[in-house]
Amino acid sequence: MTGFSFETTPRILCEDGAALKLAEFLNGMGVTRPFIVTDAGLVGAGVVRPILDALNAAGVTAAVFSDVLADPPEASVMAAVAAARDAGADGVVGLGGGSSLDTAKLVALLAGTDQALPDIYGIGLARGPRLPLVQVPTTAGTGSEVTNIAIVTTPDDQKKGVVSPLLYPDAAILDATLTTGLPPRVTAMTGVDAMVHAIEAYTSRHKKNPVSDSLAVAALKLLHANIRRVIADGSDLPARRAMLQGSLLAGMAFANAPVAAVHALAYPIGGIFHAPHGLSNALVLGPVLRFNLPAAGPLYAELAAAIGLQPDAAAFVDEIAALTAEMPMEQRLSELGVEVQHLDRLAHDAMQVQRLLINNPREVTLADARALYEEAL
Ligand SMILES: NC(=O)c1ccc[n+]([C@@H]2O[C@H](COP(=O)([O-])OP(=O)(O)OC[C@H]3O[C@@H](n4cnc5c(N)ncnc54)[C@H](O)[C@@H]3O)[C@@H](O)[C@H]2O)c1
Ligand SMILES: [Fe+2]
């Protein structure tokens, strides 16, 4: 690396109760007809109502789209875009996990243009303009509030990414009080996803840089020190705060130093077997870390030291595998219905995700990918 660039969301407010200040943000951005993108789970959990009440009290009337689907399918994203157009939205708020935030990004991008979603998969193809966009994450998490990516499930069960600088939101509001009701299973899956963002950013082959490295290390420290605490007691607000900040820092890191083989192998599991994103990552994490050891040893040793272990690569891999094994979620691909006969398709689909595989510290061949899935079976 001889030089680097770094981009992130320009404005971040991290404070308990901050979501109730949404109206101030929207007013400051000149948004008068906000369109809130969320899902039914968030409405049911009572996360949305207080925010709408605070907006109403401030004289802001928002349209709400609460039909976001997990790992958003194209049709669900386009339904949200149509609803935003119908509502005459002049700004978009994503409120929820990565599925809601990613849908909100694409609504803000597509509501005002005639570009079709399938035409903008890949890097740098979106034209814009996009509507003003504020993101309020409720999982910790994808870090989508500070990334330039939105992930969609295509009709043929692939997970494809829209990558564009236009997708960096204008502002992110982090309010840990929104996350205390997140169930243990979702807490575990999303927390492991955030840890993977930090690890893969730190070992990213081409674009890792001093800023992304600092963020990845700080993220991993926070996430590793607090993930067991939030599983043990979801109402532990300091630990929830630390997880949300860890997820933010990991997102900032991997937006600039992209993720690699764990994510490339996870996407087909999510696409074909509809496993949640964090779980898909967790199931292949141990095998991929062990596979990467010969190439990433010194970096894993640095990460071991960062989380308080001896600076030893194998110790790092063992600790991450042990931590994942403690999480309240499935531990083997076979528990999702994956069988030996599916491994060729999974490996084939993973090889399509070259956008990410090129960042892996060790080259992954088709045979390697199949062997990694087999190890995770
Ligand atoms: N854009 C990016 O940078 C990026 C990065 C990683 C993953 N992703 C994508 O993000 C999506 C996954 O997002 P996710 O893992 O955050 O899950 P999610 O958004 O799919 O949410 C999972 C479930 O948790 C519930 N939930 C969320 N917050 C809650 C809360 N505070 N209280 C109670 N329930 C709550 C939701 O209702 C939902 O049922 C995938 O599509 C993945 O590909 C995007
Ligand atoms: Fe991820």
Side-chain angles (χ1 to χ4, degrees):
M1 199 242 343
T2 52
F4 68 94
S5 69
F6 187 87
E7 294 177 316
T8 194
T9 298
R11 194 167 166 213
I12 295 163
L13 175 65
C14 192
E15 184 180 278
D16 294 352
L20 301 178
K21 297 184 177 169
L22 183 57
E24 284 174 34
F25 276 76
L26 296 173
N27 285 336
M29 296 162 78
V31 174
T32 56
R33 294 185 308 281
F35 184 77
I36 299 186
V37 178
T38 188
D39 71 27
L42 270 304
V43 175
V47 173
V48 181
R49 188 75 257 164
I51 296 172
L52 291 181
D53 288 346
L55 283 175
N56 282 334
V60 179
T61 308
V64 180
F65 179 88
S66 57
D67 292 336
V68 167
L69 297 180
D71 299 85
E74 265 176 22
S76 152
V77 173
M78 292 319 296
V81 171
R85 286 185 182 141
D86 287 350
D90 64 355
V92 179
V93 177
L95 171 60
S99 300
S100 295
L101 302 194
D102 283 5
T103 302
K105 283 176 169 175
L106 294 168
V107 168
L109 188 63
L110 294 175
T113 73
D114 54 6
Q115 271 191 303
L117 181 51
D119 294 340
I120 59 170
Y121 294 132
I123 301 175
L125 298 175
R127 275 198 308 263
R130 71 148 172 78
L131 294 173
L133 175 64
V134 181
Q135 298 281 51
V136 186
T138 65
T139 63
T142 66
S144 179
E145 68 276 13
V146 285
T147 73
N148 54 351
I149 309 166
I151 309 284
V152 176
T153 306
T154 63
D156 60 346
D157 286 340
Q158 292 191 54
K159 294 202 72 178
K160 290 200 171 165
V162 178
V163 185
S164 164
L166 289 166
L167 290 183
Y168 282 112
D170 298 301
I173 300 180
L174 277 75
D175 180 349
T177 66
L178 303 182
T179 68
T180 49
L182 194 64
R185 180 177 143 81
V186 189
T187 301
M189 297 187 300
T190 50
V192 171
D193 184 29
M195 292 181 73
V196 175
H197 295 157
I199 296 168
E200 293 209 291
Y202 196 72
T203 59
S204 195
R205 202 150 94 190
H206 304 291
K207 293 193 178 162
K208 96 190 222 87
N209 62 71
V211 181
S212 65
D213 282 352
S214 308
L215 293 164
V217 165
L220 195 62
K221 281 184 183 172
L222 285 167
L223 296 163
H224 176 261
N226 288 281
I227 190 167
R228 290 178 170 104
R229 282 177 62 183
V230 289
I231 296 298
D233 176 8
S235 67
D236 181 337
L237 192 56
R240 288 289 195 186
R241 227 179 263 139
M243 290 299 291
L244 201 56
Q245 290 174 21
S247 158
L248 171 89
L249 299 178
M252 292 171 132
F254 92 83
N256 293 278
V259 291
V262 178
H263 274 76
L265 267 71
Y267 282 145
I269 303 169
I272 302 169
F273 294 92
H274 303 288
H277 173 72
L279 175 61
S280 307
N281 275 304
L283 290 170
V284 294
L285 178 56
V288 173
L289 291 182
R290 281 189 287 276
F291 173 83
N292 283 345
L293 260 176
L299 293 176
Y300 286 168
E302 288 169 20
L303 290 178
I307 59 172
L309 305 173
Q310 291 300 316
D312 176 66
F316 176 71
V317 174
D318 287 349
E319 165 59 10
I320 299 299
L323 185 149
T324 309
E326 285 172 39
M327 293 291 119
M329 58 190 182
E330 293 86 340
Q331 297 292 328
R332 313 289 324 170
L333 283 178
S334 55
E335 293 172 66
L336 308 179
V338 182
E339 296 173 7
V340 177
Q341 77 219 35
H342 299 124
L343 299 185
D344 287 337
R345 160 102 194 264
L346 284 168
H348 170 272
D349 282 9
M351 295 311 286
Q352 310 311 305
V353 198
Q354 288 299 322
R355 169 176 80 79
L356 301 185
L357 286 176
I358 56 164
N359 305 314
N360 202 56
R362 181 175 169 192
E363 190 194 343
V364 180
T365 65
L366 179 66
D368 293 331
R370 194 186 184 287
L372 288 164
Y373 283 124
E374 196 165 10
E375 197 180 329
L377 198 58

